Amino acid sequence: MLDLRYITENTEDLKKILELRGFKDIGIIDQLTSIIRRKRELQREVDILREERNRVSKEVGKIKQAGGDISEISAAVKLVGDKIKDIEIKFEIEETALSDLNLSLPNILDSKVPAGKSEHDNVVQYEVGTIPKFSFPPKPHFEIGEALNWINFEKGVKLSGARSYTYWKEGAKLERALMNFMLNVHTEEHGYTEVWVPAMVNDESMMATGQYPKFKEEFYRIEKDELNLIPTAEVPLTNLYRDEIIPEDQLPISVTAHTSCFRREAGSYGKDTRGLVRVHQFQKVELVKFCKPEDSEEQHKQMLSHAENILKKLELPYRVIILCSGDISANSSITYDIEVWMPGLNRYMEISSVSNFRDFQARRGKIRYKSKDGKNQLVHTINGSGLALGRTYAAILENFQNQDGTVRIPEVLKRYL
């Protein structure tokens, strides 16, 4: 959802942004500006009629006080009132159409976002760590995990169908160790407040963060209860402050949560069908920040460094890329992806996305702060994975595998095991 003033004052720039994003229906901008114009005309018309009704109503009072006949003038007042009701109905129709169209618009792109059509046009910013060399052909994580009896995919499929899995014994402990390690680092070293949040949220929450209405088919919804399984803790964490006004001196607010995440993966048919890379349920530690607009760029960089710090402590090689205009999510203004090296898969794999949404989510969710001069302003929201546990688990198995099938555990995790 965008600022209406921005839409009307930057029409051509907005069309260029939509083209860069690969947005197909550029004509939506002309529809929006037409609706905004009609709304203004209706507002002017109804304001004039209300002034007329107020004037005539005063005349009715004078005539009535003087004992005169008010039947004719009362009929005129009623006629004006009927016209106002008709215009108000038209106004509501236009308002609904405007809201529906605006909710379908993507966010404005940051000027630093490179132009591109797909993931192949993303730009590498830098690489960190040394890619390991093996004296033997490295195996993919799913072969290592199954051989160690840490992961059992057959049991997962038996319980829930394709793209499901179960952890066993030390394998289950490793997942729990990663969760505790990440939460401790983010709360004790990076200053986040840990929050426990529900795994189900209402439609208003999905709407505020941008999953609904455009991407509704991508997520799991419980129709009977009108609740949704969360695709990420970004949704409940961001909505903690929906419809609220935060005192300025409380900003920035940094929160983190560990949750299960649920995704249909409807558009990933045939991609990463084996292993932990693309599954329907996975665990993740999420990071969310609320801040003043002038601080969001610095807070975004800070969050990126926090996610990177987890990988550095785990001694995992990775790279940071900036997503191009055709690959960035519709809700984000600018996104940096962290990709960890996977020796068994022989490629980099996304393990975290760190995004600055600016006021896009705050406008949808009415998340504001009261400045010192008493004005209510929209906050900026930032979120990132800190990190996805399943993919981190897979990266550890592949990067620290030994020829005999065992796996070396990173030093920082030993106290958690």
Side-chain angles (χ1 to χ4, degrees):
M1 179 175 280
L2 304 182
D3 180 32
L4 296 183
R5 180 179 294 180
Y6 178 87
I7 293 173
T8 55
E9 294 180 358
N10 301 273
T11 303
E12 295 307 313
D13 289 342
L14 187 51
K15 287 180 179 179
K16 289 177 183 177
I17 289 172
L18 295 185
E19 288 174 355
L20 284 171
R21 281 183 170 276
F23 198 87
K24 295 178 181 179
D25 187 12
I26 306 299
I28 191 175
I29 303 304
D30 293 328
Q31 294 178 51
L32 278 165
T33 53
S34 295
I35 292 173
I36 292 170
R37 186 173 59 253
R38 290 197 299 271
K39 274 187 62 186
R40 287 173 179 170
E41 291 170 355
L42 289 169
Q43 187 64 57
R44 280 194 296 268
E45 191 175 347
V46 82
D47 287 344
I48 292 170
L49 287 170
R50 282 171 179 158
E51 285 181 10
E52 182 181 350
R53 182 174 62 181
N54 290 339
R55 180 183 58 80
V56 176
S57 294
K58 289 178 182 178
E59 291 296 321
V60 170
K62 291 178 182 178
I63 295 170
K64 193 174 183 181
Q65 192 174 12
D69 183 9
I70 63 168
S71 57
E72 186 174 338
I73 196 168
S74 294
V77 171
K78 184 179 182 305
L79 183 61
V80 172
D82 290 342
K83 287 181 180 179
I84 291 173
K85 287 179 181 178
D86 290 341
I87 294 173
E88 287 175 340
I89 291 171
K90 292 178 183 177
F91 190 91
E92 287 182 15
I93 292 171
E94 297 288 7
E95 181 68 33
T96 300
L98 178 63
S99 177
D100 289 345
L101 288 175
N102 199 359
L103 283 170
S104 71
L105 285 178
N107 201 352
I108 299 163
L109 291 173
D110 188 287
S111 59
K112 294 187 288 295
V113 173
K117 294 183 178 179
S118 70
E119 61 185 35
H120 303 294
D121 300 314
N122 296 334
V123 180
V124 177
Q125 303 295 287
Y126 49 87
E127 297 180 3
V128 177
T130 303
I131 292 176
K133 295 181 180 179
F134 297 90
S135 60
F136 57 93
K139 295 178 181 179
H141 64 278
F142 44 84
E143 290 185 13
I144 301 167
E146 287 181 317
L148 290 170
N149 294 319
W150 286 10
I151 311 174
N152 189 314
F153 293 100
E154 287 185 5
K155 297 288 188 185
V157 171
K158 177 182 179 181
L159 297 174
S160 303
R163 298 185 188 272
S164 300
Y165 59 95
T166 57
Y167 289 136
W168 292 71
K169 301 177 181 178
E170 287 79 5
K173 287 182 181 179
L174 177 58
E175 174 92 350
R176 182 153 46 91
L178 282 168
M179 174 192 72
N180 286 325
F181 160 67
M182 292 179 189
L183 286 173
N184 283 354
V185 171
H186 291 312
T187 55
E188 296 170 7
E189 297 183 26
H190 300 154
Y192 291 80
T193 299
E194 184 178 354
V195 184
W196 185 92
V197 291
M200 295 186 293
V201 294
N202 52 32
D203 290 348
E204 290 84 356
S205 296
M206 296 288 276
M207 188 80 70
T209 45
Q211 281 77 22
Y212 285 1
K214 190 172 183 180
F215 306 104
K216 199 167 187 177
E217 297 305 313
E218 297 181 16
F219 307 108
Y220 291 104
R221 188 170 192 277
I222 306 167
E223 295 292 341
K224 183 177 180 180
D225 301 300
E226 297 185 344
L227 290 172
N228 309 272
L229 294 176
I230 59 171
T232 164
E234 168 201 345
V235 180
L237 285 175
T238 303
N239 278 276
L240 289 172
Y241 293 95
R242 174 164 49 88
D243 295 321
E244 291 190 20
I245 300 173
I246 304 167
E248 184 177 12
D249 59 8
Q250 290 186 16
L251 297 174
I253 293 172
S254 303
V255 288
T256 184
H258 163 264
T259 65
S260 287
C261 306
F262 304 87
R263 305 206 182 154
R264 289 188 182 277
E265 295 291 351
S268 62
Y269 181 78
K271 296 180 183 178
D272 297 311
T273 54
R274 296 190 67 186
L276 302 172
V277 176
R278 205 175 294 274
V279 291
H280 292 307
Q281 178 184 347
F282 58 96
Q283 315 303 304
K284 186 149 68 84
V285 171
E286 191 75 5
L287 310 173
V288 169
K289 284 179 175 282
F290 305 84
C291 66
K292 293 187 289 186
E294 60 265 32
D295 298 332
S296 70
E297 186 171 353
E298 182 58 35
Q299 290 293 324
H300 186 206
K301 291 177 182 177
Q302 190 181 91
M303 183 180 288
L304 178 63
S305 72
H306 295 160
E308 287 186 66
N309 193 32
I310 297 295
L311 289 169
K312 288 175 181 177
K313 287 177 178 291
L314 291 171
E315 307 167 59
L316 291 169
Y318 67 91
R319 68 182 185 183
V320 174
I321 64 173
I322 184 171
L323 299 191
C324 72
S325 58
D327 194 38
I328 191 172
S329 79
N331 304 327
S332 177
S333 177
I334 180 171
T335 296
Y336 292 99
D337 269 9
I338 304 175
E339 297 183 333
V340 68
W341 176 250
M342 301 289 287
L345 300 180
N346 194 34
R347 62 180 172 87
Y348 280 102
M349 174 188 69
E350 178 204 331
I351 199 166
S352 175
S353 282
V354 183
S355 302
N356 190 342
F357 300 100
R358 307 219 184 274
D359 62 9
F360 186 79
Q361 293 180 327
R363 178 171 283 105
R364 297 168 74 107
K366 298 179 182 177
I367 308 171
R368 295 149 291 169
Y369 74 97
K370 186 177 289 292
S371 61
K372 292 176 182 176
D373 59 7
K375 294 181 180 178
N376 293 335
Q377 300 183 53
L378 294 170
V379 301
H380 278 196
T381 59
I382 304 160
N383 95 276
S385 305
L387 304 162
L389 296 188
R391 293 189 177 194
T392 307
Y393 189 115
I396 289 172
L397 296 191
E398 293 197 13
N399 281 276
F400 297 132
Q401 61 182 293
N402 299 311
Q403 190 168 7
D404 63 1
T406 59
V407 174
R408 178 173 71 85
I409 297 299
E411 195 65 33
V412 292
L413 291 182
K414 288 183 178 177
R415 73 183 183 97
Y416 294 96
L417 291 165

